[in-house]
Amino acid sequence: MKKYVAESVGTFWLVLGGCGSAVLAAAFPEVGIGLLGVSLAFGLTVMTMAYAIGHISGCHLNPAVSIGLWAGRRFPSNQLLPYIVAQVVGAVAAGIVLYLIASGKSGFAASAGFAANGYGSHSPGGYSLFAALITEVVMTMMFLLVILGSTDKRAPQGMAPIAIGLCLTLIHLISIPVTNTSVNPARSTGVALFAGGWAIGQLWLFWLAPIVGAFLGAKIYDYIGAEEA
């Protein structure tokens, strides 16, 4: 049970820190942190939680990561569903807290975006469904490659959280204009429920694409990371 609580708390921090920076601070008058700041915020949430709870739950914070680790034979199947449930619960709890904070400002409307992921007219840069699909699959694939490689027993010890956090930062730097960056179905769900309408209607992509990408990343690392006989 401690593992599941840790995953829930960790995912709560990821969504509150990452999406919170986008909703509250990205365009704050004159001193907004912009896309660079939001990208760093997502990376920092993962890095800090990896050091805080990595030794307890593994710090997945992401259903796609749990599925990818399972596909790469690094995670037991009997814990997969409880991890995913815990992650979604943490993400929704963060969405609630963020909504309560953001709604304290006059004129706030969650339906205007609320850091939700989208494509087409709801893509920050107006990118198509196909572009969003490719982006989310490839970014999640590379994320899993970095996770699996940096946590390999042959990799430098103690450095994995830094590599994973910086990888997530880089992913956001590349893909925020395309989809607002998901690579994490729980993160997408936690804010889509409050943005409503279009965000819920497009949520399927931000479950499907990261899961496909995670499988691909796991299988690629299975091949390139296999020890020679």
Side-chain angles (χ1 to χ4, degrees):
M1 183 56 68
K2 289 180 180 179
K3 291 182 178 181
Y4 307 139
V5 173
E7 279 297 300
S8 197
V9 171
T11 310
F12 173 88
W13 183 232
L14 182 146
V15 175
L16 185 61
C19 295
S21 71
V23 172
L24 304 174
F28 190 76
E30 298 180 10
V31 291
I33 62 174
L35 299 187
L36 176 58
V38 174
S39 299
L40 283 169
F42 272 101
L44 288 170
T45 61
V46 169
M47 186 172 71
T48 53
M49 272 297 135
Y51 282 115
I53 66 168
H55 55 287
I56 300 169
S57 70
C59 192
H60 301 181
L61 316 185
N62 182 340
V65 169
S66 296
I67 291 170
L69 291 172
W70 168 77
R73 299 187 297 280
R74 299 269 195 97
F75 189 64
S77 57
N78 65 338
Q79 293 183 30
L80 186 56
L81 182 58
Y83 261 58
I84 292 172
V85 171
Q87 290 154 1
V88 173
V89 167
V92 173
I96 292 171
V97 171
L98 181 56
Y99 182 85
L100 292 174
I101 295 170
S103 60
K105 181 180 179 180
S106 176
F108 167 74
S111 58
F114 204 57
N117 303 112
Y119 54 85
S121 62
H122 299 291
S123 156
Y127 288 85
S128 68
L129 166 59
F130 181 73
L133 174 66
I134 296 299
T135 298
E136 290 291 326
V137 168
V138 173
M139 294 299 144
T140 313
M141 179 185 77
M142 297 308 299
F143 194 34
L144 261 293
L145 277 172
V146 171
I147 290 170
L148 290 166
S150 63
T151 56
D152 193 302
K153 64 181 184 294
R154 296 166 291 172
Q157 298 302 296
M159 301 300 289
I162 297 172
I164 295 166
L166 289 176
C167 180
L168 190 60
T169 299
L170 177 57
I171 285 169
H172 280 78
L173 288 172
I174 297 167
S175 60
I176 285 178
V178 184
T179 62
N180 231 6
T181 309
S182 171
V183 303
N184 184 337
R187 168 261 188 269
S188 298
T189 303
V191 290
L193 295 179
F194 296 90
W198 66 266
I200 294 175
Q202 296 190 354
L203 185 59
W204 65 271
L205 178 70
F206 303 104
W207 275 86
L208 175 65
I211 289 172
V212 171
F215 266 106
L216 291 174
K219 295 309 176 185
I220 291 171
Y221 194 77
D222 251 0
Y223 174 71
I224 64 174
E227 296 188 57
E228 297 295 335

